[in-house]
């Protein structure tokens, strides 16, 4: 059973990485590269290098270099030393999934055509930001990165756990965006900053959304019946906590449980079917680890 669950998890991670890197590759080849948007990261740096190398390589006899160093090639080369550093810090188990994600992104940026979807820069920012943000969020949700500043951000996150990976990524990418001043017009840099902001917010939302749940506090005279039905019909654990009503001065029992968002209607139905006078508070749980929710790393 455990082996089968692990295999399903691996398949799910592979599919998320493939789809996530496809979206990222589409954002690079359909938006960022054609219109010259340095949106940070190794890919953004590769775009800067491509535009900067055009005048040097346009006279070359090698066809695929006439428009400058390809983004996919530069990204792959720049990632090599970063992989070496990450391997030394994290080990083979961590690096394997990231190598796959990086090669997948390289594949998509190589195979997808470089075409401009629209001349409207605002629309480019929105489309590129959404595609890249969702893609990065999907890849990071598998505990992998696509190399480059993603990998760097994940390493920094290990030391500063209170700062999310997308936030660290936004800061790092912001620095690389500033380097774009050497190649691109000020308008492009401003648009790129907008994209970096969108990517950070969207990827952060993707990560939090995957772990989002609701926690409920229930005070009732029918706690035994309520807790039994929650455990039997909802397959969720319930904790009983002794509390004291300060107004009445009587001892009571409060139930605490964590459920998914879609289970809230069923939870309300169970509680108020047993006790129409029950007092219940439902609040957001931003991250839930343990049985029935996200698994604890290394468990």
């Amino acid at each position: 059973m455990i082996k089968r669950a692990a295999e399903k998890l691996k398949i799910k991670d592979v599919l998320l990485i493939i789809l996530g890197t496809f979206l990222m590759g589409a954002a690079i080849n359909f938006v960022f590269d054609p219109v010259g948007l340095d949106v940070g990261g190794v890919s953004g740096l590769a775009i800067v290098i491509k535009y900067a190398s055009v005048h040097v390589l346009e006279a070359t006899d090698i066809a695929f270099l006439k428009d400058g160093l390809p983004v996919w090639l530069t990204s792959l080369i720049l990632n090599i030393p970063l992989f070496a550093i990450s391997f030394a810090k994290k080990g083979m188990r961590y690096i394997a999934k990231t190598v796959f994600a990086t090669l997948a992104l390289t594949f998509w940026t190589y195979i997808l055509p470089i075409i401009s979807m629209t001349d409207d820069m605002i629309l480019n920012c929105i489309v590129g930001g959404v595609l890249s943000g969702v893609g990065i969020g999907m890849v990071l949700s598998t505990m992998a990165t696509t190399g480059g500043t993603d990998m760097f951000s994940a390493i920094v996150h290990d030391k500063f756990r209170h700062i999310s990976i997308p936030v660290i990524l936004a800061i790092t990418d912001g620095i690389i965006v500033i380097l774009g001043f050497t190649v691109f017009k000020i308008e492009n840099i401003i648009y790129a900053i907008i994209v970096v902001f969108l990517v950070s917010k969207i990827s952060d939302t993707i990560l939090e959304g995957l772990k989002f749940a609701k926690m409920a506090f229930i005070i009732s005279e029918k706690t035994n019946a309520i807790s039994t039905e929650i455990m039997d019909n909802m397959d969720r654990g319930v904790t009983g906590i002794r509390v004291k009503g300060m107004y009445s001065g009587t001892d009571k029992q409060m139930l605490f449980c964590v459920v998914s968002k879609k289970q809230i209607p069923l939870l309300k139905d169970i509680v108020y079917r047993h006790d129409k006078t029950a007092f219940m508070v439902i609040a957001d749980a931003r991250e839930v680890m343990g049985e029935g929710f996200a698994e604890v790393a290394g468990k």
Side-chain angles (χ1 to χ4, degrees):
M1 181 69 70
I2 296 176
K3 183 178 180 181
R4 188 182 302 171
E7 290 175 351
K8 287 183 179 179
L9 180 61
K10 290 179 181 178
I11 294 173
K12 178 183 177 182
D13 286 351
V14 169
L15 293 176
L16 281 172
I17 289 173
I18 291 175
L19 180 56
T21 52
F22 169 76
L23 294 176
M24 295 170 67
I28 292 171
N29 283 21
F30 298 162
V31 181
F32 304 148
D33 189 355
V35 300
L37 282 177
D38 166 22
V39 293
V42 164
S43 297
L45 187 56
I47 291 174
V48 173
I49 293 174
K50 175 182 179 179
Y51 277 77
S53 64
V54 169
H55 298 299
V56 178
L57 299 174
E58 60 184 356
T60 184
D61 294 330
I62 305 176
F64 79 96
L65 293 180
K66 289 184 179 295
D67 294 325
L69 283 171
V71 172
W72 67 267
L73 179 60
T74 306
S75 297
L76 190 60
I77 293 172
L78 291 175
N79 267 309
I80 292 175
L82 291 168
F83 274 114
I85 296 172
S86 184
F87 173 74
K89 289 182 175 292
K90 293 276 192 176
M92 180 58 71
R93 184 175 180 181
Y94 172 84
I95 207 76
K97 194 180 289 186
T98 298
V99 167
F100 174 69
T102 303
L103 291 177
L105 179 59
T106 301
F107 170 77
W108 290 123
T109 51
Y110 172 74
I111 199 172
L112 291 174
I114 301 175
I115 54 175
S116 179
M117 298 178 63
T118 176
D119 294 329
D120 188 326
M121 290 300 288
I122 295 297
L123 189 57
N124 278 321
C125 288
I126 295 173
V127 173
V130 171
L131 288 175
S132 188
V134 173
I136 289 174
M138 294 175 71
V139 173
L140 291 178
S141 71
T142 68
M143 302 302 290
T145 74
T146 55
T149 53
D150 290 351
M151 185 183 296
F152 171 77
S153 299
I155 294 173
V156 173
H157 176 66
D158 287 340
K159 293 185 177 294
F160 302 96
R161 303 291 296 184
H162 61 288
I163 306 177
S164 71
I165 291 177
V167 171
I168 300 172
L169 191 61
I171 296 172
T172 307
D173 287 347
I175 295 173
I176 295 178
V177 167
I178 294 174
L179 295 177
F181 276 108
T182 60
V183 176
F184 302 115
K185 299 181 296 183
I186 183 65
E187 291 88 349
N188 285 49
I189 302 302
I190 294 174
Y191 285 128
I193 292 173
I194 295 173
V195 173
V196 171
F197 176 79
L198 284 175
V199 170
S200 174
K201 290 297 182 183
I202 293 172
S203 57
D204 213 353
T205 299
I206 293 293
L207 287 176
E208 290 185 349
L210 292 174
K211 300 175 182 177
F212 194 84
K214 295 285 187 178
M215 53 184 176
F217 300 90
I218 307 161
I219 298 177
S220 169
E221 300 295 333
K222 305 288 183 62
T223 53
N224 288 334
I226 293 172
S227 60
T228 298
E229 187 166 353
I230 290 174
M231 290 185 288
D232 291 344
N233 294 349
M234 298 182 65
D235 195 25
R236 292 297 184 191
V238 184
T239 300
I241 305 172
R242 290 293 178 184
V243 296
K244 182 176 182 178
M246 300 308 295
Y247 179 77
S248 63
T250 58
D251 292 331
K252 297 184 178 182
Q253 187 176 58
M254 179 177 69
L255 300 179
F256 169 75
C257 65
V258 178
V259 300
S260 64
K261 290 185 291 183
K262 63 183 180 181
Q263 289 181 312
I264 289 297
L266 178 57
L267 177 64
K268 290 180 179 179
D269 178 66
I270 291 173
V271 171
Y272 291 111
R273 183 156 31 83
H274 287 284
D275 185 0
K276 296 186 182 300
T277 63
F279 182 79
M280 179 164 59
V281 176
I282 299 174
D284 291 336
R286 301 304 298 175
E287 185 170 1
V288 183
M289 309 296 291
E291 186 175 353
F293 293 94
E295 299 228 357
V296 180
K299 185 177 178 180

